[in-house]
Amino acid sequence: MSDKTSNQMWGGRFAAGPDAIMEAINASIGFDKRLAAQDIAGSRAHAAMLAATGIVDTSDAEAIREGLLTVLSEIEAGDFTFSTALEDIHMNVEARLKEIIGEPAGRLHTARSRNDQVATDFRLWVRDQCDAAEGGILALMKALLGQAEAGADWVMPGFTHLQTAQPVTWGHHMMAYVEMFARDLSRMRDARKRMNESPLGAAALAGTGFPIDRQMTAEALGFDRPMANSLDAVSDRDFALEFLAAASICAMHLSRFAEELVIWSSAQFRFVTLSDRFSTGSSIMPQKKNPDAAELIRAKIGRIFGANVALLMVMKGLPLAYSKDMQEDKEQVFDAADNLVLALAAMEGMVKDMTANVANLEAAAASGFSTATDLADWLVRETGLPFRDAHHVTGALVAMAEKKGCDLSDLSLEEMKSVNDTITEGIFDVLGVHNSVASRMSYGGTAPARVREQVARWKETLG
Ligand code: ARG
């Protein structure tokens, strides 16, 4: 039995090496090499602790820590040959360490297991992704604030059922997304806070008989504390699921906005012009300018939802503690995180660059009898009519305008009076879209003054 055929980490118990198919299904190095930096940081913290507690000689621990830096620089420089036979990032790093420093490398794995090692690496990686998502969300919120501030009093149609409902302000619409992304931000921060505990030192599943210092390794890796239960530490992936859940909700918000941008930039709407930098042309139709970035955001979001479901499926049937199924936790999370960050950046770019077509927005806001509710409200306020009756009178006026093919404001006072004779000249004040939005001063309403308050509040919060 040569070293080549049986595994160098556990070859003692094995007479033969794995079948090629076994190697193919078993190896994770193809993707978990992305955890290299985290793996090495975890191992360096572990080695320092082994020395501090007297479990390993200081000189051996120092050789390990130095050697690990060499391995890291090789990986970062692209000078590292990853081996499938060595299965995963943990064994690839350790094997190379042995080549570099020799015998002391064998002491690194004292009082730990790949189970707590991978749980630690992956937590560190997902924690970084929470930070990356936070940065992306903040940048997008700032871009939205810029649009909201510029267009606090531009009017546009507000929709329900994608039918014109009431006029709203552009700023109000932008600020709706600021609120949504702010909740996404707080979900990410929340998830990060909860995941920030160290599994390292849980060892295979039961802890270890060596006098380790888990507080020390937790601190070295920026964790708030060690996890309190070794079985839990090696066997849960709820931290990754929380990230995916927060990512999914954020992605859903991105997708809704992307959908709006696709609609708004169409020739039928012409609410916005997307910049050339975030559009593409057609190879056959010279007139086309396509909102590809928005479409791709809308589509990529499916991968993030898929990752969330896939990991839930991986985990749902696993008895405690570690099962190899859990190796399937990584690729999906990697893909989801990459696409979330990309989608956030693309959305930020589009929002920053897009131009609202203010005249089109206003014309659209005034069409579709969008101020009918203002008319009904006026009847309640000025003539004391119960709202239900005012709704009925307004409905009759809308029908009249529709028949004539004009707007509500084009009806004469006489025509209005023929439906309800208490109506006076004052009604025309509320039929304009600017008056309509300005009147919606209730807290959280669309009035430009309210929008400006919210913009100011968020600018102060975000700095
Ligand atoms: N590559 C493995 C994973 O990602 C590391 C842990 C292996 N543990 C074990 N007991 N085989 O899950």
Side-chain angles (χ1 to χ4, degrees):
M1 173 176 89
S2 82
D3 265 7
K4 256 198 142 139
T5 50
S6 77
N7 188 293
Q8 38 178 303
M9 303 293 169
W10 57 73
R13 193 217 178 285
F14 283 69
D19 189 272
I21 300 292
M22 179 59 200
E23 195 170 294
I25 195 171
N26 198 35
S28 55
I29 189 62
F31 49 88
D32 68 13
K33 57 180 158 206
R34 282 191 77 168
L35 299 177
Q38 289 75 14
D39 192 68
I40 286 169
S43 289
R44 280 174 48 82
H46 184 67
M49 182 278 291
L50 291 176
T53 49
I55 300 169
V56 163
D57 276 358
T58 307
S59 61
D60 283 350
E62 260 323 295
I64 289 169
R65 283 169 53 78
E66 277 302 303
L68 285 168
L69 286 184
T70 309
V71 177
L72 181 62
S73 61
E74 288 177 0
I75 293 174
E76 281 173 354
D79 282 345
F80 191 97
T81 314
F82 292 102
S83 149
T84 316
L86 288 166
E87 224 183 286
D88 56 26
I89 186 62
H90 324 295
M91 297 206 286
N92 269 269
V93 168
E94 195 182 319
R96 178 70 188 127
L97 181 68
K98 185 154 186 222
E99 285 172 7
I100 299 170
I101 69 167
E103 190 266 337
R107 302 190 185 280
L108 170 60
H109 214 51
T110 317
R112 79 167 184 191
S113 149
R114 277 189 299 157
N115 296 351
D116 58 338
Q117 196 177 351
V118 73
T120 304
D121 295 2
F122 199 31
R123 255 176 212 260
L124 290 172
W125 196 88
V126 177
R127 191 177 75 181
D128 283 350
Q129 296 308 306
C130 290
D131 295 340
E134 178 174 337
I137 295 171
L138 278 169
L140 174 55
M141 286 173 74
K142 284 181 184 163
L144 287 163
L145 272 178
Q147 286 286 352
E149 190 167 30
D153 52 13
W154 301 341
V155 278
M156 64 181 282
F159 299 95
T160 60
H161 316 266
L162 197 57
Q163 308 286 324
T164 300
Q166 293 173 349
V168 295
T169 50
W170 170 265
H172 199 50
H173 200 109
M174 296 299 126
M175 292 308 288
Y177 281 104
V178 167
E179 294 290 333
M180 292 180 236
F181 290 118
R183 288 192 297 274
D184 292 330
L185 185 69
S186 101
R187 269 184 284 272
M188 277 294 168
R189 287 175 172 164
D190 239 36
R192 188 198 194 285
K193 208 166 120 202
R194 223 176 340 269
M195 78 178 64
N196 203 29
E197 293 188 338
S198 173
L200 195 58
L205 73 166
T208 174
F210 290 100
I212 58 170
D213 182 348
R214 293 191 59 206
Q215 192 67 46
M216 179 179 169
T217 45
E219 252 167 54
L221 295 169
F223 287 118
D224 294 330
R225 63 192 78 82
M227 292 180 75
N229 183 298
S230 61
L231 286 170
D232 172 41
V234 294
S235 67
D236 207 355
R237 293 294 183 264
D238 62 348
F239 65 91
L241 284 165
E242 257 196 274
F243 167 73
L244 290 176
S248 293
I249 297 174
C250 178
M252 175 273 295
H253 290 147
L254 284 169
S255 186
R256 292 185 74 175
F257 195 26
E259 167 71 1
E260 293 198 315
L261 293 182
V262 170
I263 296 173
W264 290 357
S265 62
S266 70
Q268 288 67 31
F269 270 73
R270 289 187 299 123
F271 282 7
V272 295
T273 306
L274 298 176
S275 77
D276 290 353
R277 297 188 333 133
F278 285 93
S279 312
T280 59
S282 158
S283 55
I284 177 167
M285 297 165 283
Q287 86 284 12
K288 289 287 288 277
K289 187 168 164 191
N290 296 325
D292 292 36
E295 295 167 86
L296 286 164
I297 290 171
R298 194 174 56 184
K300 275 177 181 295
I301 265 34
R303 299 155 74 130
I304 300 174
F305 298 171
N308 195 3
V309 173
L311 185 53
L312 284 166
M313 294 300 287
V314 166
M315 297 304 295
K316 78 175 184 57
L318 301 184
L320 304 189
Y322 178 85
S323 295
K324 195 61 175 257
D325 309 53
M326 288 161 69
Q327 181 163 284
E328 286 290 309
D329 58 0
K330 293 171 204 61
E331 277 173 294
Q332 304 274 355
V333 180
F334 291 164
D335 186 74
D338 289 345
N339 281 294
L340 179 68
V341 166
L342 183 59
L344 282 166
M347 187 57 93
E348 183 212 347
M350 268 193 300
V351 171
K352 258 207 239 158
D353 278 19
M354 74 183 175
T355 313
N357 302 327
V358 181
N360 291 345
L361 288 171
E362 182 160 340
S367 72
F369 311 111
S370 67
T371 52
T373 318
D374 299 85
L375 197 160
D377 287 350
W378 183 90
L379 288 168
V380 170
R381 256 194 335 267
E382 304 296 325
T383 73
L385 225 53
F387 183 77
R388 284 287 161 234
D389 299 339
H391 187 287
H392 197 81
V393 169
T394 309
L397 289 169
V398 167
M400 180 186 277
E402 199 164 40
K403 209 157 150 207
K404 282 189 70 186
C406 68
D407 281 333
L408 280 172
S409 56
D410 298 327
L411 293 175
S412 68
L413 186 59
E414 284 64 44
E415 285 169 319
M416 298 227 191
K417 276 181 172 300
S418 74
V419 175
N420 182 296
D421 64 3
T422 61
I423 296 177
T424 65
E425 195 67 38
I427 198 157
F428 290 101
D429 290 346
V430 300
L431 294 182
V433 286
H434 284 282
N435 288 339
S436 168
V437 293
S439 75
R440 303 240 187 277
M441 277 293 282
S442 53
Y443 180 77
T446 197
R450 286 297 191 212
V451 172
R452 288 199 182 90
E453 280 169 14
Q454 292 300 322
V455 170
R457 177 171 77 87
W458 275 111
K459 275 178 94 173
E460 198 176 312
T461 308
L462 299 185

